[in-house]
Amino acid sequence: MKTPAFDTAALKAELVAKHGEAHRARIERGVDQVAAQWRPEDGDAAAFIREQFLSDPKALDATFARLERLFEQLDGHMNELGRELQWYSDLDLGPLLPVEPLVASYDPSTNVTSDLFRAKVGFVVLLNFPLTTLAERMEHGPKWTRRQWAEARLASRFNRRVPAEIEQESSRAIAAASLYIAEYNVWMHHLVDSDGGRPFPKGLRLISHWNLRDELKGDYADPNGLAKQRMILQVMERIVTQTIPAAVIDNPRVDWNPFTNAVTVAPPETVEADAPAREAKAVAAPEPDTRYARLLDTFHAARKADPYVPVAPTRIARAFELARELPEERVKALLTQVLESPVVPRVAKEIEARLGRKLEPQDLWYPGFKPGGKRPESELDALTRKRYPTAEAFAKDMPRILQGLGFTRAKAEWLAARIQVDASRGAGHAQPAARRGDFPRLRTRVEKGGMDYKGYNIAVHELGHNVEQVFSLYSVDHTLLAGVPNNAFTEALAFVFQARDLELLGLGRPDAAAERERVLNDFWQTWEIAGVALVDMAVWHWMYEHPDAKPAELRDAVVAISRDVWDRYYAPVLGGKGTALLGIYSHMISYPLYLPDYPLGHLIAFQIEEHLHRKGPLGAEFERMASHGAVTPDQWMLHATGAPVSAEPLLRATEAALKR
């Protein structure tokens, strides 16, 4: 433990004598909080504390109000600057200039916390407002006032003092990983089988992993779908194992047989008119473990911050204790409860009966449990391309979409006016605003022929994020509480929107049979992503246990972990013993430790859906939930649905659905 730079005991006694016994607890806590972060170069700590400790309630209230307003503006404008810096790397605006990756990797906000400590603002906060542990928030939070919650969030901004250069290095590493993923496309017409056949249409360019997975889902409605799915699995396997030839990544000028790994020059007549400038060379040399080099860069940057965050001294601890506010062991227990549920083989048997064959690894992504799941992807593509030829067309249709989701006309127009839509370079994402007066951005992929169904499905998901972001910023009582407890909650609210995508296209409202399908679909999707999340968590533990690992060693570890989780939970149901398929998710590379939020999001979304079925309508209830702000997960869920976060509702409903 760091030795204080001043006599804290004497100073505490002095302040109690001056301000009164009623302030003892605040004084003792505040002095200790300052001492934990103070450095010799900060100057005379005792003099600062004497001057800045606030015992007058009116002065404390005024300081709180001033800081709340300040941080809304500071965070908001920094968020806007970051958005501008990433504008060209995030959006589909043509080829990137060489400078763009450098611009995108610069994060102007990395200096803010360090600067606020140097300016002593951070120490004013630590002296006068309480830092709390996760245990304290979970135990006492339900009894706190909204002001107490806002004070806890204000103080938590300064629970670490990481040097700006380390924060910047982390931002650079994540930006580089994100750009690597955003440009990881496979031109599907140039996948060839052993007979030289091309199963996929010309012009189909799919980003890994999102579009590859979604194409695989769409192929269930294709008579030749099984062969196409097996080919996609082989592509995924080669990406994870890094046996994919570097020459075929985002390159339609060469053909590739993913089974034999042979690369040949594509005949000129097969090359797309909009093909990017790439070399047409038949080189089969594998990608040089770039995937894992990017992940290691992110890990090394995160590890440099560890000594500066004593309350959570690893990136893993920060992800669960600080960001997610759910202990890792509890999350792991929830995921394992789903993976080991006795309903798994029973749901699998129903899928087998529908497919008329034994299950295979690609059935991890079986989409047939929802209305329209058997509808040909080409039919859905034609519908969405006609309706949404551009991102602007989707933006124009948002008021209708939102009314279809249960919002009043006035509220739908109010929301749509506060959400901007852009065509994404990558698969899509939702970028929040951080101050009132700025608006969230909805990014989704729009191909030259219009928005295909994959892009539309993602757009509806991202719209859920954006609507939550508007409510949790504009309707919350304290902007210090803007947001939701963690990413799993914003994912859950986005899933609520996404589940209604076909209904919003006019393809039918759910009935009792559709409700059964929804339950089984939610379970299967949760089961699928739960194992992926376990892989992500295990990979980060492996990196901390092997901090000097090389990319090739990390590659082998990820493959081994992916195979172990597959063989334990999935091979008994889907076969494919020894596959590394669970390592394909791109989030593992570009969004550190984000993947556990997806299964948690499914569990939370199911609880929300159950509540909506009981209470409804969606619009009013969604607004009530999203406006509650960033309290702890269980407290938010108790407010939203009356129960803490749990896997039980989904498992009970799945059991009941199987009996119907």
Side-chain angles (χ1 to χ4, degrees):
M1 185 173 176
K2 190 180 92 169
T3 303
F6 55 96
D7 188 340
T8 57
L11 184 57
K12 290 174 185 176
E14 177 189 331
L15 291 173
V16 170
K18 178 180 178 181
H19 297 286
E21 189 65 29
H23 295 283
R24 176 180 291 278
R26 285 189 61 239
I27 288 168
E28 291 185 344
R29 190 164 193 161
V31 169
D32 286 341
Q33 288 175 177
V34 170
Q37 301 281 17
W38 198 273
R39 297 173 184 169
E41 61 268 26
D42 294 323
D44 187 339
F48 171 83
I49 290 170
R50 291 187 190 101
E51 177 185 349
Q52 293 292 337
F53 179 75
L54 301 172
S55 58
D56 178 8
K58 290 184 179 178
L60 192 65
D61 288 349
T63 300
F64 171 83
R66 176 72 180 92
L67 291 173
E68 183 168 43
R69 182 181 181 281
L70 166 69
F71 287 126
E72 179 189 351
Q73 296 302 313
L74 189 59
D75 293 345
H77 288 295
M78 283 296 174
N79 181 67
E80 291 166 64
L81 284 172
R83 184 172 68 219
E84 289 298 324
L85 288 162
Q86 295 172 4
W87 192 261
Y88 288 93
S89 59
D90 278 352
L91 301 187
D92 188 10
L93 299 171
L96 289 173
L97 297 172
V99 73
E100 294 301 344
L102 303 177
V103 172
S105 69
Y106 170 61
D107 183 354
S109 68
T110 53
N111 292 311
V112 168
T113 301
S114 294
D115 289 346
L116 289 171
F117 270 115
R118 280 195 291 270
K120 306 294 194 298
V121 175
F123 290 117
V124 171
V125 172
L126 292 175
L127 181 60
N128 291 288
F129 301 99
L131 274 177
T132 57
T133 64
L134 176 57
E136 286 176 312
R137 292 191 292 280
M138 292 173 68
E139 181 181 355
H140 302 298
K143 302 186 186 80
W144 285 352
T145 64
R146 299 288 287 175
R147 164 67 182 266
Q148 285 176 297
W149 265 109
E151 288 185 2
R153 294 310 188 200
L154 172 62
S156 69
R157 298 176 65 99
F158 299 100
N159 60 14
R160 68 191 86 181
R161 194 178 182 184
V162 181
E165 60 271 17
I166 293 177
E167 297 275 25
Q168 186 64 55
E169 183 177 342
S170 180
S171 294
R172 282 196 298 268
I174 291 172
S178 296
L179 182 59
Y180 164 76
I181 290 298
E183 297 191 320
Y184 207 108
N185 295 293
V186 178
W187 291 76
M188 303 301 285
H189 186 58
H190 299 278
L191 298 183
V192 296
D193 58 27
S194 56
D195 298 322
R198 300 176 185 272
F200 297 96
K202 194 171 185 178
L204 185 61
R205 182 187 64 144
L206 301 182
I207 192 169
S208 177
H209 76 286
W210 294 278
N211 289 165
L212 288 173
R213 175 202 60 194
D214 292 343
E215 174 68 23
L216 186 153
K217 289 182 177 182
D219 287 335
Y220 280 94
D222 187 327
N224 192 37
L226 192 57
K228 293 165 74 174
Q229 289 174 334
R230 289 169 178 165
M231 182 174 274
I232 291 172
L233 287 190
Q234 190 62 26
V235 172
M236 290 178 168
E237 187 88 13
R238 291 207 179 275
I239 291 172
V240 176
T241 59
Q242 290 288 262
T243 54
I244 181 173
V248 309
I249 301 169
D250 202 21
N251 187 2
R253 300 181 187 278
V254 294
D255 291 338
W256 173 42
N257 182 328
F259 297 98
T260 64
N261 228 15
V263 180
T264 55
V265 174
E269 66 275 11
T270 67
V271 178
E272 286 76 358
D274 60 344
R278 300 284 190 270
E279 283 193 313
K281 288 187 176 180
V283 179
E287 185 181 14
D289 296 324
T290 310
R291 183 178 181 87
Y292 301 105
R294 293 298 186 205
L295 179 53
L296 277 177
D297 288 345
T298 301
F299 164 69
H300 290 309
R303 191 163 167 253
K304 288 180 181 179
D306 291 352
Y308 300 96
V309 196
V311 294
T314 68
R315 181 66 179 78
I316 302 167
R318 294 193 287 280
F320 288 94
E321 298 289 322
L322 300 186
R324 203 165 275 124
E325 290 193 304
L326 283 170
E328 183 184 7
E329 286 309 307
R330 183 176 172 198
V331 172
K332 189 174 181 179
L334 286 168
L335 303 184
T336 305
Q337 184 181 1
V338 172
L339 289 166
E340 295 179 344
S341 170
V343 302
V344 173
R346 295 170 61 194
V347 177
K349 280 189 179 298
E350 179 146 345
I351 298 174
E352 280 191 349
R354 294 186 183 202
L355 294 176
R357 60 168 172 79
K358 288 190 67 64
L359 298 189
E360 298 184 13
Q362 70 270 13
D363 299 317
L364 182 68
W365 292 295
Y366 174 73
F369 278 133
K370 61 181 181 179
K374 294 181 173 63
R375 196 178 294 270
E377 185 93 355
S378 57
E379 179 184 330
L380 295 173
D381 285 344
L383 182 59
T384 56
R385 283 175 177 142
K386 181 178 180 180
R387 185 172 289 188
Y388 306 118
T390 62
E392 291 77 13
F394 186 86
K396 188 175 180 180
D397 198 35
M398 281 198 300
R400 182 200 63 81
I401 293 172
L402 291 165
Q403 287 180 75
L405 288 163
F407 293 96
T408 65
R409 179 177 178 179
K411 188 65 71 174
E413 291 175 349
W414 181 82
L415 287 165
R418 284 161 177 78
I419 298 169
Q420 307 295 312
V421 182
D422 306 309
S424 175
R425 183 179 296 276
H429 62 277
Q431 189 172 79
R435 69 172 181 86
R436 291 163 295 185
D438 185 31
F439 303 128
R441 315 292 297 206
L442 189 159
R443 271 77 184 268
T444 192
R445 194 156 177 148
V446 182
E447 301 291 357
K448 286 184 169 55
M451 185 185 294
D452 61 18
Y453 174 68
K454 298 180 186 71
Y456 164 76
N457 178 266
I458 290 170
V460 176
H461 178 92
E462 304 307 339
L463 180 60
H465 285 303
N466 290 137
V467 171
E468 172 268 301
Q469 290 159 357
V470 172
F471 282 138
S472 64
L473 174 63
Y474 281 82
S475 301
V476 75
D477 51 353
H478 283 285
T479 55
L480 287 165
L481 293 175
V484 289
N486 59 45
N487 287 327
F489 285 79
T490 190
E491 290 299 342
L493 292 169
F495 288 145
V496 169
F497 274 43
Q498 189 174 15
R500 291 158 172 80
D501 69 330
L502 294 173
E503 181 182 340
L504 294 169
L505 287 174
L507 299 179
R509 296 180 64 84
D511 54 15
E515 174 60 17
R516 179 180 187 271
E517 296 288 289
R518 181 186 73 84
V519 171
L520 296 176
N521 181 64
D522 284 353
F523 175 78
W524 198 251
Q525 286 190 327
T526 308
W527 179 70
E528 169 248 314
I529 200 67
V532 176
L534 287 184
V535 170
D536 196 20
M537 293 157 66
V539 166
W540 273 84
H541 279 285
W542 188 91
M543 289 191 291
Y544 269 100
E545 292 160 8
H546 303 83
D548 299 320
K550 300 293 187 289
E553 294 171 313
L554 176 57
R555 175 202 67 211
D556 292 345
V558 171
V559 170
I561 291 167
S562 299
R563 287 172 173 165
D564 178 64
V565 174
W566 182 274
D567 290 349
R568 185 177 308 174
Y569 299 113
Y570 296 94
V573 179
L574 302 175
K577 186 175 175 62
T579 181
L581 196 57
L582 296 175
I584 189 57
Y585 274 69
S586 298
H587 305 76
M588 193 182 299
I589 310 305
S590 56
Y591 297 98
L593 280 168
Y594 190 96
L595 282 163
D597 288 324
Y598 282 105
L600 287 173
H602 281 298
L603 296 178
I604 294 163
F606 193 85
Q607 289 180 264
I608 291 172
E609 288 281 12
E610 273 203 329
H611 174 82
L612 291 173
H613 281 293
R614 292 195 309 269
K615 296 290 185 181
L618 185 152
E621 284 298 293
F622 193 100
E623 180 175 5
R624 182 183 67 82
M625 294 176 186
S627 303
H628 194 54
V631 295
T632 51
D634 283 337
Q635 187 170 338
W636 193 96
M637 282 298 289
L638 284 164
H639 168 82
T641 70
V645 178
S646 172
E648 288 298 333
L650 176 59
L651 297 179
R652 282 197 307 267
T654 305
E655 175 76 29
L658 288 167
K659 290 178 179 177
R660 288 201 296 271

